């Protein structure tokens, strides 16, 4: 085969995978949003079949060979070269696991998920513990097949955030610990801010009406995006011009749905803004978990929690809820949006204490894979760490070690990217604020000015460049955790008059 023939074969393979992926995405979104429950069994069986077909296409040995040949072609353009590299890694990491073991481990993950659900419902860690132990063992085996000389947990970290390892995360979390633990203590001891007015009764239908204004303000355009409702908000899609996102309305909390909407629209906008030419290829995605989370958190925390954002949007909210918010000023409202208070549940944590929840999970994961932490008694280890870092202790396993689903499915190394994302965002925003008047854009209803900056410096590249390359191109320097810590210190010192 000459190069042109090779590329043609490669492009056909890429297209075939994109067709299966599109089908599987739509089916998954449908299942999580509107699909009638009674048809689940019929659908699930066919979905599993399609996933198996995709697996076969993905692991085609002929393609593995072809990718290896293409990798050595010097005449490939930069984009194709990068895509080939990413596909080669994907194929290698899947092909190396014997199929029967892959199937067995998928079955274990299903059983483990069910055990986790049951344990959480019954508030009993001992139901989940034996599964957690097995999941860890099977993950060790899975990674062994890759034959990498990188230590196991480093490989896991690298999967979610290419280029990251324990050494870098240790430095990152070490810096967080040093500056945030004392700051959280000071905030906890300071005079507290009133936020009781956020927790009255807010009719869900009225909240939905208001959400249309927010979606329009964010430039989440119905021509390429659609919002639905689910228990756990998420974002998915099939291509840059077809993004689906969801939110969740709470009757006794008016800001929860708004902030979760802004967060998910951050994810959706990132995907939407990736260069359309990459549609259907491995380049058409966020480059890493941390980078994706940086964009959602940038929208949520660095834009939607500011006074300028609410100068444009608070009037509308007050008009929607005159009884509840008529006597609350914009400033009081924004202060309430930003309160910090140590708590037990990660997903409900505020901007300041959130990274501590992640630090705890990181230290436990690290220990589980270097042998210094055991699954036995891990519920107590968990509670002790919450007490140490946040000064709170859970009375139940459900609000403690059983709160997150991740470990039941073998997702180790994922959590740290959540904290990293917030820190990336701080550095991006700092640069964006030097180049455009962010507050003026937000105040005057020109949210697209922020979006355009992000598109130009981050979004459009998709997976064309690694996260650290994008960081350098966008901000002119490597990632520096101090911008994040300076931001938090400055913000909370002012808010709590420390
Ligand atoms: Zn997110």
């Amino acid at each position: 085969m000459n190069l042109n023939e090779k590329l043609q074969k490669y492009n056909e393979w890429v297209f075939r995978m994109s067709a299966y992926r599109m089908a599987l995405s739509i089916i998954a979104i449908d299942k999580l949003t509107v699909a009638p429950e009674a048809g689940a069994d019929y659908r699930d069986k066919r979905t599993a079949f399609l996933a198996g077909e995709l697996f076969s296409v993905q692991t085609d040995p002929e393609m593995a060979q072809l990718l290896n040949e293409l990798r050595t072609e010097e005449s490939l353009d930069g984009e194709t070269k990068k895509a080939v590299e990413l596909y080669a890694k994907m194929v290698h990491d899947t092909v190396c696991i014997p199929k029967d073991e892959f199937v067995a481990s998928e079955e274990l993950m299903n059983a483990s998920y069910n055990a986790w659900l049951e344990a959480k419902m019954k508030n009993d860690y001992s139901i989940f513990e034996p599964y957690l132990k097995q999941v860890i063992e099977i993950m060790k085996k899975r990674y062994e097949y890759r034959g990498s000389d990188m230590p196991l947990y480093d490989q896991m970290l690298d999967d979610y955030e290419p280029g990251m390892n324990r050494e870098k995360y240790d430095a990152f979390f070490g810096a967080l610990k040093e500056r945030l633990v004392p700051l959280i203590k000071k905030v906890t001891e300071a005079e507290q801010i009133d936020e009781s007015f956020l927790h009255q009764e807010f009719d869900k239908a009225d909240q939905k009406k208001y959400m249309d204004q927010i979606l329009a303000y964010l430039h989440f355009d119905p021509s390429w995006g659609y919002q639905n409702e689910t228990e756990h908000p998420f974002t998915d899609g099939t291509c840059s011009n077809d993004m689906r996102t969801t939110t969740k309305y709470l009757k006794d909390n008016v800001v929860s749905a708004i902030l979760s909407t802004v967060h998910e629209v951050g994810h959706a906008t990132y995907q939407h803004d990736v260069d359309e030419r990459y549609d259907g290829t491995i380049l058409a995605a966020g480059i890493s978990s941390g980078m994706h989370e940086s964009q959602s958190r940038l929208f949520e925390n660095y834009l939607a929690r500011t006074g300028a954002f609410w100068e444009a949007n608070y009037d509308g909210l007050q008009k929607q809820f005159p009884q509840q918010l008529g006597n609350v000023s914009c400033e009081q409202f924004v202060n309430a949006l930003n309160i910090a208070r140590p708590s037990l549940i990660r997903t409900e944590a505020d901007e300041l204490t959130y990274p501590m929840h992640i630090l705890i999970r990181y230290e436990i994961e690290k220990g589980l894979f270097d042998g210094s932490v055991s699954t036995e008694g891990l519920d107590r280890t968990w509670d002790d760490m919450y007490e140490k870092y946040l000064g709170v202790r859970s009375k139940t396993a459900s609000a403690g070690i059983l709160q997150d689903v991740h470990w039941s499915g073998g997702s180790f190394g994922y959590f740290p990217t959540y904290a990293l994302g917030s820190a990336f965002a701080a550095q991006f925003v700092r640069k964006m604020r030097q180049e455009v008047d962010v507050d003026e854009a937000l105040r005057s209803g020109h949210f697209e000015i922020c979006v355009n900056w992000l598109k130009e410096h981050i979004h459009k590249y998709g997976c064309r460049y690694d996260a650290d390359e994008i960081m350098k191109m966008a901000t002119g320097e490597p990632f520096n955790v101090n911008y994040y810590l300076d931001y938090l210190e400055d913000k909370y010192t002012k808010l709590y008059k420390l």
Side-chain angles (χ1 to χ4, degrees):
M1 259 192 284
N2 64 31
L3 181 58
N4 271 344
E5 288 164 342
K6 282 180 190 170
L7 283 175
Q8 199 190 340
K9 201 166 170 86
Y10 162 79
N11 285 326
E12 281 165 12
W13 176 71
V14 167
F15 185 84
R16 194 137 41 105
M17 284 193 298
S18 76
Y20 280 110
R21 283 231 176 76
M22 181 190 79
L24 288 164
S25 286
I26 293 290
I27 293 166
I29 294 164
D30 182 74
K31 181 185 169 92
L32 290 169
T33 51
V34 294
E37 187 52 39
D41 193 44
Y42 178 90
R43 290 191 310 264
D44 286 351
K45 287 198 179 95
R46 272 105 195 133
T47 310
F49 171 80
L50 284 176
E53 291 292 294
L54 173 61
F55 185 85
S56 303
V57 175
Q58 238 176 39
T59 55
D60 180 351
E62 220 183 308
M63 284 313 302
Q65 172 64 28
L66 182 71
L67 288 169
N68 278 336
E69 285 170 30
L70 284 175
R71 282 179 92 174
T72 59
E73 287 287 350
E74 272 166 27
S75 60
L76 291 189
D77 64 272
E79 287 170 358
T80 311
K81 213 176 180 66
K82 179 74 182 183
V84 165
E85 254 171 50
L86 293 172
Y87 280 123
K89 177 172 166 38
M90 175 194 86
V91 170
H92 171 77
D93 293 350
T94 341
V95 169
C96 65
I97 306 166
K99 196 165 181 182
D100 52 337
E101 277 195 41
F102 185 80
V103 173
S105 73
E106 289 296 297
E107 277 163 12
L108 172 67
M109 301 300 182
N110 277 333
S112 160
Y113 173 77
N114 293 337
W116 168 75
L117 261 189
E118 190 193 340
K120 191 174 178 182
M121 230 157 54
K122 293 186 177 157
N123 204 4
D124 181 356
Y125 171 64
S126 73
I127 298 173
F128 178 52
E129 194 268 336
Y131 287 91
L132 179 59
K133 204 174 191 160
Q134 287 179 63
V135 167
I136 291 169
E137 287 314 308
I138 214 153
M139 290 308 287
K140 284 183 186 166
K141 250 181 116 178
R142 265 198 192 189
Y143 275 84
E144 257 170 42
Y145 284 117
R146 294 192 185 182
S148 161
D149 46 18
M150 235 198 271
L152 175 63
Y153 189 50
D154 283 348
Q155 290 183 55
M156 295 175 151
L157 293 169
D158 186 80
D159 271 356
Y160 293 106
E161 199 60 37
M164 285 303 282
N165 54 32
R166 278 172 304 171
E167 197 190 333
K168 290 183 191 169
Y169 271 124
D170 281 349
F172 172 68
F173 284 114
L176 258 56
K177 210 183 324 189
E178 198 183 312
R179 284 175 66 183
L180 295 189
V181 172
L183 180 60
I184 291 169
K185 190 162 181 286
K186 273 197 235 166
V187 164
T188 312
E189 288 162 1
E191 194 189 325
Q192 295 304 296
I193 292 165
D194 179 27
E195 48 122 23
S196 55
F197 50 82
L198 298 180
H199 304 285
Q200 308 173 66
E201 207 176 304
F202 295 90
D203 183 66
K204 285 191 193 176
D206 288 338
Q207 288 193 49
K208 274 184 219 176
K209 258 186 244 160
Y210 177 71
M211 200 61 85
D212 289 340
Q213 292 177 43
I214 288 288
L215 289 172
Y217 176 86
L218 297 173
H219 291 259
F220 184 70
D221 190 321
S223 70
W224 59 264
Y226 180 75
Q227 189 187 49
N228 220 316
E229 278 176 64
T230 47
E231 179 61 27
H232 301 284
F234 71 92
T235 297
D236 200 349
T238 67
C239 66
S240 58
N241 279 316
D242 176 11
M243 293 310 302
R244 322 293 177 93
T245 170
T246 68
T247 193
K248 180 189 179 182
Y249 293 96
L250 299 175
K251 217 167 143 187
D252 61 350
N253 185 338
V254 72
V255 292
S256 171
I258 296 171
L259 292 174
S260 93
T261 291
V262 176
H263 180 101
E264 295 306 327
V265 168
H267 282 303
T269 304
Y270 184 5
Q271 295 274 137
H272 169 65
D273 284 346
V274 172
D275 194 326
E276 262 183 69
R277 291 180 302 122
Y278 298 163
D279 269 345
T281 76
I282 202 164
L283 297 181
I287 180 63
S288 67
S289 306
M291 199 56 106
H292 233 302
E293 205 57 20
S294 80
Q295 299 310 298
S296 56
R297 277 164 203 266
L298 196 155
F299 271 43
E300 177 191 351
N301 291 335
Y302 296 78
L303 301 178
R305 286 185 204 265
T306 63
F309 182 97
W310 287 101
E311 274 179 54
N313 291 298
Y314 190 58
D315 259 4
L317 189 65
Q318 259 183 330
K319 280 197 187 104
Q320 195 71 59
F321 299 105
Q323 242 182 328
Q324 295 91 328
L325 298 173
N327 292 322
V328 178
S329 73
C330 186
E331 192 189 348
Q332 284 174 305
F333 176 79
V334 173
N335 286 348
L337 274 190
N338 287 292
I339 66 149
R341 186 184 298 139
S343 62
L344 293 169
I345 308 292
R346 174 184 65 83
T347 54
E348 290 161 20
D350 56 78
E351 197 182 352
L352 175 63
T353 59
Y354 187 90
M356 289 297 122
H357 292 258
I358 302 302
L359 165 75
I360 291 166
R361 287 154 178 78
Y362 170 68
E363 291 195 348
I364 291 177
E365 285 187 351
K366 208 167 67 156
L368 285 172
F369 289 96
D370 70 17
S372 63
V373 169
S374 159
T375 56
E376 278 150 53
L378 191 57
D379 46 346
R380 279 188 307 280
T381 311
W382 178 286
D383 293 338
D384 290 345
M385 289 176 84
Y386 264 79
E387 192 149 11
K388 180 175 158 200
Y389 289 125
L390 284 164
V392 291
R393 195 176 183 92
S394 174
K395 289 194 179 68
T396 66
S398 304
I401 189 165
L402 296 174
Q403 64 181 275
D404 295 308
V405 64
H406 304 55
W407 292 344
S408 74
S411 291
F412 300 100
Y414 189 0
F415 281 123
T417 67
Y418 290 139
L420 197 62
S422 301
F424 282 170
Q427 189 164 335
F428 287 134
V429 169
R430 185 177 171 275
K431 187 69 183 176
M432 179 163 73
R433 282 184 176 279
Q434 286 168 1
E435 295 184 358
V436 295
D437 192 340
V438 171
D439 287 334
E440 182 51 30
L442 295 177
R443 212 178 279 130
S444 59
H446 287 291
F447 195 77
E448 79 280 6
I449 291 177
C450 302
V451 172
N452 288 341
W453 191 90
L454 296 167
K455 178 178 181 174
E456 211 34 56
H457 293 90
I458 302 160
H459 298 173
K460 70 175 185 189
Y461 295 120
C463 295
R464 172 67 183 87
Y465 298 104
D466 290 341
D468 56 344
E469 290 174 306
I470 289 180
M471 181 58 82
K472 266 186 234 157
M473 290 191 296
T475 71
E477 54 184 319
F479 170 58
N480 180 348
V481 64
N482 287 317
Y483 295 131
Y484 176 48
L485 297 170
D486 291 346
Y487 157 83
L488 287 174
E489 239 167 43
D490 181 58
K491 172 170 176 169
Y492 285 96
T493 300
K494 280 185 191 141
L495 184 63
Y496 281 87
K497 306 186 174 69
L498 301 176

